[in-house]
Amino acid sequence: MTIAGWLQISLLFLAVLVTVKPLGLYMARVFEGNRTPLSPLLSPVEKGFYAISGVNAEKEQSALAYTLSMLAFSLAGFAVLYGILRLQAYLPLNPQGFAGMTPDLAFNTAVSFVTNTNWQNYGGESTLSHFSQMAGLTVQNFLSAATGMALAIAFTRALIRSRATGLGNFWVDVTRATLYILLPISILTALIFVAMGLPQTFDASVSATTLEGANQVIALGPVASQEAIKQLGTNGGGFFNVNAAHPFENATAWSDFFNIFAMLWISSAMVYCFGQMVSNRRQGWVLLASMGALLLAGVVVIYWAEAQGNPVLTSLGLDPAMGNMEGKELRFGQAMSALYAAVTTGLSNGGVNGMLGSFTGLGGLVPLFLIQLGEVLPGGVGSGLYGILIFALLAVFVAGLMVGRTPEFLGKKIEGREMKYAMLAVLILPLAILGFTAASAMLPFALASIGTPGPHGLSEILYGFSSAAGNNGSAFGGLTGNTLWYNTTLGIAMLLGRFAYVVPVMAIAGSLAAKVRTPASAGTFPTDGPLFAGLLIGIILILGGLQFFPALALGPIVEHLAMLAGQTF
């Protein structure tokens, strides 16, 4: 670990901290329907969309109607994307002449991008046409992110309304999220990426002569535009197979810094937006501080573990001064590789600038653990906010039981009904992750897909289903996922992680909206101070992570202890 490395990490977090307030305020104005600097240009476009689609922007939807609209929208998106992937060979902008995907791979990919997971069982530059990348994947990068933002805003409205039946209008929220927030910021980000050296072209490839005199064909495409929304929408799906380790996706140390900033910016600003909308900015800062503390702890552990190097290689005489550089890019170094790994898994981004399977046992454990905490650090765009709010409700309820105070959150009483729905949501992840991992660890044809036997092989499977159910999308490496079993089961895990989680969340929203919002009293447990932040962190660690400890003990923890003893598997 170096001073320069810590300075890079500190500057990144400082940049995010400085910019969350202006973006959060802007987002609050957008979702409250107030005028913004972009309104003169975009308001006519917004109204045009409503006129074409027959949406009544003034009509509120109940929690049930809002949820059903979201499910119907996602189903339609899946059907369109599945069709594009299957019929790719017959569609335009296919200069490479790629064939369509197989049914199981198309199912996995379509589910992946509709759920904002972006797990990829294929190499983008060798499988997908420009049309599939742009009209298929990039469109869903926008829409899945906008869907998460809309759901988070609906939950926020439930906390600020009294005796209400409506939570807003899903079609209006998803339109505004796309039109006023994601699209303009993505255009600006794409231009910055182009200036940093990322290609943006319809050419399929370019030929180059290597130093040895051989001819090399280098894949090209509209990379910068997809990279922008990939990061801003916490999607993570790469244009190239090696994702952000590829120089056309992540050219320099500066582009790496900007990639990480883009990942964190909107998700963090959503939390400030929440504080602004509920008229309690301190509450927003407390949630953001809790997220940041856990994320920073993850960065510290990964950086420390990777800087120590591999004890097995050190015992063989390798100089440990550079730490463990296997699977990492020299142009990024230890610090930014560790930061990227923590951020991409603390978020539901899933992009990588190094191969996580090449990290040390402890360095690989942390990204896996961050996903299993529920993707709330600060999580996906929108999904991280409603995820942390579920933990906040659980923390308030536990605090009420401990000290005998009324379980309330922002003036809404938290009762048994909300707790049942909250626990149902929290238990979805271990059910999907541990259930499919156990089955895959017992079936011979599933075990045939692992790249390394022993504890590392278990980690490959466990990470795969954690990434899928957590809607993250990153891979541990080594697992051959493009099989009928993994394409199907990972796809089901993604569906459970997104929709089986959000349905009880929206049921909680409907229940809270119908309640009276009462002012705080002497018996109300305060939720906008450091005491609550500490309690919230404890609840996240216990309910989000402790249930996975036995599985982690059989995988990365065993591998870490074995490395310390100088053993390999």
Side-chain angles (χ1 to χ4, degrees), residues 121-495:
N121 277 335
Y122 60 88
E125 69 268 43
S126 60
T127 308
L128 293 179
S129 68
H130 295 342
F131 184 85
S132 295
Q133 293 271 21
M134 294 189 301
L137 305 190
T138 304
V139 167
Q140 283 305 317
N141 282 347
F142 278 96
L143 298 183
S144 63
T147 298
M149 296 171 73
L151 292 168
I153 293 302
F155 198 96
T156 301
R157 293 192 186 107
L159 290 168
I160 60 180
R161 295 181 176 182
S162 294
R163 292 197 178 97
T165 57
L167 296 178
N169 187 304
F170 171 78
W171 308 109
V172 173
D173 290 338
V174 81
T175 300
R176 288 176 177 169
T178 304
L179 198 59
Y180 288 89
I181 301 170
L182 295 175
L183 189 58
I185 298 178
S186 293
I187 292 173
L188 177 61
T189 302
L191 293 174
I192 294 174
F193 277 139
V194 170
M196 288 181 168
L198 275 63
Q200 182 70 20
T201 176
F202 285 138
D203 290 341
S205 61
V206 63
S207 295
T209 302
T210 67
L211 294 176
E212 294 82 9
N215 182 63
Q216 181 181 3
V217 178
I218 303 173
L220 294 174
V223 180
S225 57
Q226 183 163 320
E227 188 73 11
I229 188 58
K230 159 193 165 180
Q231 305 294 37
L232 292 167
T234 61
N235 293 284
F239 192 95
F240 298 100
N241 191 33
V242 294
N243 209 274
H246 196 290
F248 283 177
E249 283 199 39
N250 198 355
T252 66
W254 280 111
S255 69
D256 190 60
F257 186 95
F258 190 65
N259 265 275
I260 302 173
F261 172 81
M263 276 192 265
L264 283 167
W265 193 24
I266 296 182
S267 286
S268 301
M270 280 292 297
V271 184
Y272 191 91
C273 172
F274 166 79
Q276 175 69 17
M277 291 185 67
V278 299
S279 302
N280 189 341
R281 295 184 183 179
R282 282 175 54 89
Q283 186 69 70
W285 284 119
V286 164
L287 296 179
L288 196 58
S290 303
M291 296 170 169
L294 287 171
L295 183 61
L296 181 59
V299 175
V300 170
V301 175
I302 297 175
Y303 189 16
W304 176 85
E306 297 307 302
Q308 300 307 303
N310 188 327
V312 176
L313 298 178
T314 302
S315 66
L316 297 175
L318 186 70
D319 184 3
M322 286 292 291
N324 176 38
M325 285 302 295
E326 180 188 348
K328 301 179 182 68
E329 294 294 308
L330 287 173
R331 66 186 187 276
F332 304 144
Q334 294 283 358
M336 297 308 281
S337 295
L339 179 60
Y340 202 114
V343 169
T344 196
T345 49
L347 292 148
S348 68
N349 183 277
V352 292
N353 72 349
M355 299 302 104
L356 299 178
S358 295
F359 280 35
T360 62
L362 187 58
L365 165 68
V366 174
L368 174 58
F369 185 65
L370 291 179
I371 296 174
Q372 292 171 342
L373 289 181
E375 295 290 70
V376 294
L377 308 176
V381 171
S383 62
L385 176 56
Y386 61 70
I388 195 74
L389 289 175
I390 293 301
F391 280 117
L393 297 184
L394 290 167
V396 166
F397 192 78
V398 170
L401 294 177
M402 291 172 62
V403 301
R405 293 193 177 187
T406 305
E408 292 181 8
F409 186 67
L410 296 176
K412 294 297 181 81
K413 293 186 182 297
I414 309 302
E415 299 174 304
R417 183 180 183 184
E418 290 78 35
M419 285 301 97
K420 291 175 184 177
Y421 284 131
M423 288 309 303
L424 177 60
V426 169
L427 291 173
I428 289 297
L429 288 184
L431 174 66
I433 294 170
L434 299 177
F436 281 124
T437 298
S440 299
M442 296 177 63
L443 297 172
F445 56 83
L447 287 173
S449 290
I450 64 174
T452 306
H456 194 88
L458 176 62
S459 296
E460 292 174 9
I461 299 173
L462 179 63
Y463 194 102
F465 285 108
S466 298
S467 180
N471 297 141
N472 182 271
S474 62
F476 207 58
L479 182 70
T480 302
N482 190 14
T483 66
L484 179 61
W485 169 258
Y486 283 110
N487 278 331
T488 304
T489 53
L490 287 169
I492 295 172
M494 294 176 211
L495 290 171

Side-chain angles (χ1 to χ4, degrees), residues 471-529:
N471 297 141
N472 182 271
S474 62
F476 207 58
L479 182 70
T480 302
N482 190 14
T483 66
L484 179 61
W485 169 258
Y486 283 110
N487 278 331
T488 304
T489 53
L490 287 169
I492 295 172
M494 294 176 211
L495 290 171
L496 291 173
R498 178 74 161 189
F499 300 116
Y501 185 92
V502 81
V503 168
V505 168
M506 292 304 292
I508 295 173
S511 176
L512 291 176
K515 295 185 176 185
V516 177
R517 188 181 186 188
T518 58
S521 65
T524 302
F525 181 79
T527 62
D528 56 1

